[in-house]
Amino acid sequence: MAIERVAVIGAGQMGGGIAQVAAQAGLSVVLADATPELAARGLSRIAAGLGKLVEKGKLPASGREAVLARIEAAPGLEACAGADLAIEAIVEKEDAKRELFQRLEPHLGPRAILASNTSSISITALAAATRRPDRFIGMHFMNPPPVMQLVEVIRGLQTSDETWAAVTTLAKRLGKVTVTSRDVPGFIVNRVLIPLINEACFALQEGLASAEDIDTAVKLGLNHPMGPLTLADFIGLDTCLYIAEVLHRELGEDKYRPAALLRQHVAAGWLGRKAGRGFYRYDG
Ligand SMILES: CC(=O)CC(=O)SCCNC(=O)CCNC(=O)[C@H](O)C(C)(C)COP(=O)(O)OP(=O)(O)OC[C@H]1O[C@@H](n2cnc3c(N)ncnc32)[C@H](O)[C@@H]1OP(=O)(O)O
Ligand SMILES: NC(=O)C1=CN([C@@H]2O[C@H](COP(=O)(O)OP(=O)(O)OC[C@H]3O[C@@H](n4cnc5c(N)ncnc54)[C@H](OP(=O)(O)O)[C@@H]3O)[C@@H](O)[C@H]2O)C=CC1
């Protein structure tokens, strides 16, 4: 089935980025969040991101307007009616996601596909909470979605071949490279990344070196674009903790236990760049 109209639910850093990518590829997009303010905030972040591209001469000003015109920012879920695909990008909590899908489904047509951008939660379990488990799939974009090439496609036990083919084709139309993962906690990327970030938190907690030196060592020593603590701040420390908890609980091995320092930062509300403070401070 061809996908022309996409709804993105959750206008945070990922939802906004996914909406932007879809609109840049010519699709019609609804960006929904709980309140008008949150939906509008998502849209203004997209406008700012596109503005950077105009400044760099990579997009004409008219192109920016055309992309923005394809995105409707909406409070609530009613505006998602008519979507061929709904991509959920709300907080990384299973209960919240299940509840959202149950509220969303009555607004969608019977053939619409449901996708979750979850970083770690079982697609099979989320699918089972809906009435269309065969048309449910994981579509995991990387942060920031407009820049990163990869989309992980995660098949739940019930995902049909048709759903997989439609979503993989769409991801390619969005200019992304896809990999397909089985539905195992953390999938591919976070199975590898979150233990790295968590280990950096343990290293900091143990006083192995300063945050700056841990980051510089990994950045320059391994040629990563960002050190792991900077990357954790960029992802959001709450999101990193929730993913680490899923890995620990579901894979059942002590090696995945989240560092106490990570828990403490989240408890303090130091959630990273989006909160103005994480392992580092971000002014303005
Ligand atoms: C947690 C999970 O579940 C999974 C995950 O996502 S894990 C996290 C994965 N992400 C990463 O690992 C990111 C690592 N960091 C990086 O790759 C880089 O630091 C970064 C891309 C984030 C920023 O790179 P940078 O060079 O410092 O920034 P910047 O120069 O502003 O942007 C880089 C390019 O992206 C483009 N860009 C930035 N924002 C953009 C936007 N909103 N829309 C379109 N293009 C954008 C810029 O135009 C620029 O392009 P050129 O190089 O061609 O000029
Ligand atoms: N950050 C990252 O690097 C990546 C994250 N992801 C995944 O994407 C999803 C979103 O992450 P991210 O964008 O970083 O998170 P953000 O915190 O930036 O955004 C989440 C958005 O969803 C809203 N929201 C939260 N709970 C609900 C709810 N119950 N109903 C409706 N809206 C809600 C939030 O509103 P409010 O601000 O009011 O809470 C916010 O606007 C998570 O599943 C995460 O694991 C995937 C890849 C990378």
Side-chain angles (χ1 to χ4, degrees):
M1 94 182 244
I3 295 169
E4 292 301 332
R5 187 169 168 82
V6 175
V8 181
I9 301 100
Q13 50 178 345
M14 292 305 294
I18 295 166
Q20 178 183 331
V21 170
Q24 282 184 278
L27 292 146
S28 149
V29 181
V30 172
L31 178 59
D33 210 316
T35 66
E37 293 73 28
L38 287 174
R41 191 184 64 186
L43 193 60
S44 61
R45 276 211 224 102
I46 296 173
L50 292 170
K52 271 202 263 167
L53 295 183
V54 174
E55 270 169 38
K56 288 187 179 177
K58 291 182 172 180
L59 185 73
S62 59
R64 172 180 181 269
E65 296 317 313
V67 172
L68 288 174
R70 283 196 281 276
I71 307 175
E72 178 194 349
L77 301 173
E78 290 77 10
C80 300
D84 304 310
L85 167 70
I87 306 175
E88 167 277 315
I90 68 165
V91 65
E92 185 70 352
K93 295 210 164 158
E94 186 169 338
D95 288 351
K97 290 188 189 292
R98 279 174 188 266
E99 193 264 333
L100 185 273
F101 282 118
Q102 276 161 4
R103 281 193 296 119
L104 173 64
E105 219 179 350
H107 296 287
L108 299 176
R111 302 297 308 158
I113 294 174
L114 293 174
S116 176
N117 186 52
T118 178
S119 299
S120 60
I121 294 167
S122 168
I123 296 301
T124 302
L126 292 176
T130 74
R131 290 162 184 253
R132 59 186 85 197
D134 58 319
R135 287 193 298 286
F136 194 103
I137 198 159
M139 194 175 187
H140 184 211
F141 289 80
M142 303 296 128
N143 189 9
V147 179
M148 302 295 284
Q149 286 188 63
L150 186 72
V151 170
E152 272 183 316
V153 178
I154 302 105
R155 295 190 70 147
L157 274 189
Q158 318 93 318
T159 307
S160 69
D161 290 346
E162 189 193 10
T163 299
W164 176 84
V167 164
T168 304
T169 302
L170 176 75
K172 289 184 179 142
R173 180 171 164 199
L174 302 184
K176 302 302 181 188
V177 174
T178 61
V179 291
T180 299
S181 171
R182 280 179 41 224
D183 183 25
V184 173
F187 320 125
I188 304 171
V189 169
N190 285 324
R191 178 72 174 267
V192 176
L193 174 66
I194 294 300
L196 170 75
I197 287 176
N198 198 33
E199 200 59 34
C201 297
F202 276 114
L204 183 63
Q205 184 176 305
E206 287 164 17
L208 181 65
S210 66
E212 289 80 0
D213 280 358
I214 291 169
D215 273 348
T216 301
V218 174
K219 188 174 169 180
L220 302 186
L222 300 176
N223 220 5
H224 288 195
M226 288 173 163
L229 300 169
T230 304
L231 181 56
D233 275 359
F234 181 65
I235 292 168
L237 300 189
D238 49 346
T239 302
C240 291
L241 176 61
Y242 301 148
I243 301 169
E245 285 175 340
V246 170
L247 294 181
H248 187 218
R249 188 174 62 241
E250 302 293 330
L251 297 172
E253 289 191 46
D254 197 44
K255 68 176 177 177
Y256 296 115
R257 74 198 182 287
L261 190 66
L262 178 59
R263 285 192 188 286
Q264 285 164 351
H265 275 62
V266 174
W270 297 345
L271 304 184
R273 198 182 282 201
K274 65 185 170 187
R277 181 166 184 181
F279 290 112
Y280 300 95
R281 285 172 190 263
Y282 304 87
D283 298 320

